Amino acid sequence: LSLITPAICWLIFICFLTIMGNLLVILAVYREASLHSATYFYIVSLAVADLCVGLLVIPLAILFELTR
């Protein structure tokens, strides 16, 4: 377990926060009818893009750090 450095723990924490925060934004706009407007749909599209970063890019960065 010496491979898990504080930097990798920090990346895992950021990955978790990124995923959970963006899921909450998407869920809030989906559930609240007053947020169904073009402005909030733009916010959702940004949240989806950021969610993809949290699901793809950050785990690959963690893998890169572990195998380097």
Side-chain angles (χ1 to χ4, degrees):
L1 289 177
S2 65
L3 291 175
I4 299 181
T5 63
I8 293 172
C9 291
W10 180 248
L11 281 174
I12 293 170
F13 178 69
I14 294 298
C15 183
F16 177 75
L17 281 182
T18 301
I19 293 169
M20 295 312 298
N22 287 296
L23 284 176
L24 286 174
V25 168
I26 295 167
L27 183 66
V29 174
Y30 175 75
R31 292 192 53 142
E32 187 63 39
S34 65
L35 299 180
H36 291 184
S37 69
T39 302
Y40 291 105
F41 289 147
Y42 179 69
I43 298 294
V44 167
S45 73
L46 291 174
V48 169
D50 199 31
L51 183 63
C52 290
V53 169
L55 290 172
L56 297 172
V57 176
I58 299 175
L60 288 174
I62 294 169
L63 182 65
F64 176 76
E65 288 296 324
L66 285 174
T67 59
R68 187 166 53 137

